[in-house]
Amino acid sequence: MTPFLEWMANIIRDNVETALAALFGTFLGAFLAFYFERRHADKKEREAQISAAKHAQFVITTQLNAVKNMKKQVLDPMKDDINRHLTLKPFSVLAKFPSLDIASLVFMLEGDSAQLLNELMISEHKFRTLLGALDQRNERHEIMQKRLATLGPEATLDGATVAILKDMTDSIYGLCDDALKGLQESFEKLKTFIEKKFNVKALSLEFVY
C-alpha cells in the first residue's frame, strides 16, 4: 500500500471509530433516558393504583361503619318486637358518604381482579339501596303518624297501611344484613388483593360495633 493510501485508510478508520463512538453514545444516552423515564412512570402508576385501592378501602369502611351503627343502635333493639313496623320510629342517616371512584380502579379489570371490582360496585349498590329504602319507610311512617294524630288508630291502621309498613320494615332488616355482609366481604377481599398485588400492607381500620 502506498503512503497516500495508507494515510487515507487511517483517516477513514479514525473517523469511523469516532462516528461509531458518537453514535453509540447517543444511543446509550437515549436508551438510559427512556429507561429511567419509564421506571419513573411505572413507579408513579403503581403509587396511584395503591392510593386508589386504599381509598376504596376507606370508602367501604365508612359505609360499613354506618350500617353497623344503624344495626346496633336502631334496628337490633327492636328486632324481636312483633309490632316493630309501628314502634320503630323514622330515623335518617344524615351524613354524606363517599362513593367508590370506579375510574381510578379500572386497572383492576386486568386479570382475576375484574370480578372483585364488580363485587365492590355491588356492595356499594346494596348500601345505597338500604339508604333509599330507609328514606321511603320514613316517609310512609311519618304519614301514618300524622294520620294517627288526626284521625285516630281505627281510621289510620287499616289492613293495607299495616301491611305496607310491615313489608317496608322487614325489608329494612333484610337489606341491612345484606349490605353488612357484602361490605365486610368486599373489604376483606380488597385487603387481600392489595397485599398480594403490591406487596404492601393494606389499611386495617377499626370498625365501629
Side-chain angles (χ1 to χ4, degrees):
M1 179 182 294
T2 65
F4 175 77
L5 291 177
E6 185 176 355
W7 175 74
M8 288 294 295
N10 290 335
I11 291 177
I12 293 172
R13 185 182 64 250
D14 292 343
N15 288 338
V16 169
E17 290 176 353
T18 302
L20 289 175
L23 181 63
F24 178 75
T26 301
F27 171 78
L28 180 61
F31 173 78
L32 291 176
F34 171 79
Y35 172 77
F36 287 116
E37 182 179 354
R38 181 62 185 174
R39 245 185 110 178
H40 178 71
D42 289 345
K43 181 180 179 182
K44 295 290 289 185
E45 182 180 13
R46 182 176 184 274
E47 291 174 350
Q49 291 177 353
I50 294 174
S51 177
K54 287 186 176 182
H55 179 264
Q57 275 193 293
F58 171 76
V59 169
I60 294 172
T61 302
T62 303
Q63 297 174 357
L64 182 55
N65 283 342
V67 176
K68 285 182 174 288
N69 280 330
M70 181 191 304
K71 178 177 172 61
K72 177 182 178 181
Q73 299 176 12
V74 181
L75 297 180
D76 281 353
M78 308 295 294
K79 182 177 181 180
D80 297 325
D81 186 346
I82 60 174
N83 294 315
R84 67 188 186 185
H85 55 289
L86 301 175
T87 56
L88 182 63
K89 302 299 183 183
F91 63 98
S92 298
V93 181
L94 300 178
K96 291 185 178 181
F97 299 95
S99 299
L100 291 172
D101 183 1
I102 301 302
S104 70
L105 298 172
V106 292
F107 69 90
M108 294 177 64
L109 292 175
E110 300 176 0
D112 298 335
S113 57
Q115 180 59 32
L116 175 56
L117 180 57
N118 184 54
E119 291 178 15
L120 296 182
M121 295 172 62
I122 291 174
S123 67
E124 180 174 56
H125 177 70
K126 290 179 179 180
F127 173 71
R128 301 294 177 185
T129 300
L130 171 61
L131 296 186
L134 182 60
D135 287 339
Q136 291 180 354
R137 190 218 176 242
N138 287 345
E139 182 178 353
R140 175 68 65 168
H141 200 283
E142 288 169 357
I143 292 174
M144 183 272 292
Q145 287 180 328
K146 291 178 181 178
R147 287 175 55 84
L148 191 62
T150 304
L151 304 175
E154 292 185 3
T156 302
L157 300 178
D158 58 277
T161 299
V162 171
I164 290 173
L165 279 173
K166 189 175 188 308
D167 287 345
M168 298 181 83
T169 303
D170 291 346
S171 72
I172 294 297
Y173 278 86
L175 289 170
C176 182
D177 290 340
D178 198 27
L180 182 64
K181 180 182 178 183
L183 290 167
Q184 285 178 325
E185 290 179 351
S186 292
F187 181 87
E188 291 302 327
K189 289 181 180 180
L190 182 57
K191 182 175 183 292
T192 300
F193 166 78
I194 293 172
E195 294 179 345
K196 181 178 179 181
K197 179 175 178 62
F198 299 109
N199 194 29
V200 297
K201 186 173 179 59
L203 297 182
S204 183
L205 304 180
E206 292 294 327
F207 296 147
V208 178
Y209 290 90

